[in-house]
Amino acid sequence: MGTWIDISQRLDDNVAVWPGDTPFSYKVNWSKEQSGSVNVGQIKMSIHTGTHIDAPFHFDDDGKRVIDLDLDLYMGNARVIHLPNKTSIGVDELSHIDLQGVTRLLIRTDAWKDRSVFPQTIPHIQPELAAYLSEHGVRLIGLDLPSVDPLDSKELSAHHELADHGIHILEGLVLDGIGPGNYELAALPLPLVEADGSPVRAVLKKSP
Ligand SMILES: Nc1ccccc1C(=O)C[C@H](N)C(=O)O
Ligand SMILES: [Zn+2]
Ligand SMILES: [Zn+2]
């Protein structure tokens, strides 16, 4: 036992939230005393808090909602790579890495140091990387960051280019201490019918 490693952010009042977005809250809305039998909780949060996936509807009004996403994207073999101290991540940063057979690519940047505060700047994905990754068969990109674009971006070019190349986005991973290599990943979205994304519980298991 204990072979699955949790790579998700914990969800409590300390979780960092996109500036201006809905704060996270959990409360017992109907206590055992009130109901006579059970504590019944309620959560309120932005979908883009903690470890989550973006559905294309997040940045495209005509894009797929969470319920339309292929679950195979979020379960199966994944490659973890370590790219610390970058200001951005593009083809140059990945040129030394053999992506043969990599469907799910998780990038550990270590750039978000104190996860209780929202970062000021992050290394972003260069939009041109999308075509390169799709040529190599990548269908999911995951990062230990709250976005694939610069935090002040309005165009969200990387989000759009990735989606246009059939690459789905997993954000807010915790990859501290995860060595580069091959793993099994599970990070399933909730069956939210209309949503623009979903919180996930992301876990990794080292492949033999
Ligand atoms: N939560 C937000 C609130 C307001 C404005 C943007 C956002 C985002 O999350 C966008 C971000 N670029 C993203 O990676 O999805
Ligand atoms: Zn998001
Ligand atoms: Zn995003």
Side-chain angles (χ1 to χ4, degrees), residues 27-111:
K27 65 173 184 176
V28 176
N29 205 34
W30 201 8
S31 70
K32 194 157 184 294
E33 203 174 15
Q34 291 167 322
S35 70
S37 58
V38 284
N39 290 314
V40 182
Q42 175 194 281
I43 53 173
K44 193 171 180 186
M45 66 186 290
S46 162
I47 272 169
H48 303 275
T49 298
T51 309
H52 69 279
I53 58 114
D54 287 354
F57 176 62
H58 178 47
F59 42 88
D60 176 358
D61 285 338
D62 301 319
K64 282 188 178 179
R65 314 278 183 127
V66 174
I67 204 74
D68 304 318
L69 299 173
D70 183 356
L71 290 181
D72 287 340
L73 292 164
Y74 306 103
M75 277 183 293
N77 296 332
R79 168 78 56 79
V80 174
I81 64 170
H82 194 192
L83 296 176
N85 309 312
K86 306 287 183 206
T87 47
S88 71
I89 296 166
V91 176
D92 283 355
E93 285 70 25
L94 289 190
S95 58
H96 67 288
I97 290 161
D98 178 14
L99 291 176
Q100 179 87 25
V102 175
T103 319
R104 302 171 193 83
L105 180 67
L106 308 184
I107 305 178
R108 175 179 160 197
T109 69
D110 289 340

Side-chain angles (χ1 to χ4, degrees), residues 18 48 52 54 58-59 146-149 156 159 169 171:
W18 196 279
H48 303 275
H52 69 279
D54 287 354
H58 178 47
F59 42 88
S147 184
V148 292
D149 274 295
L156 300 182
H159 281 83
I169 300 168
E171 295 168 330

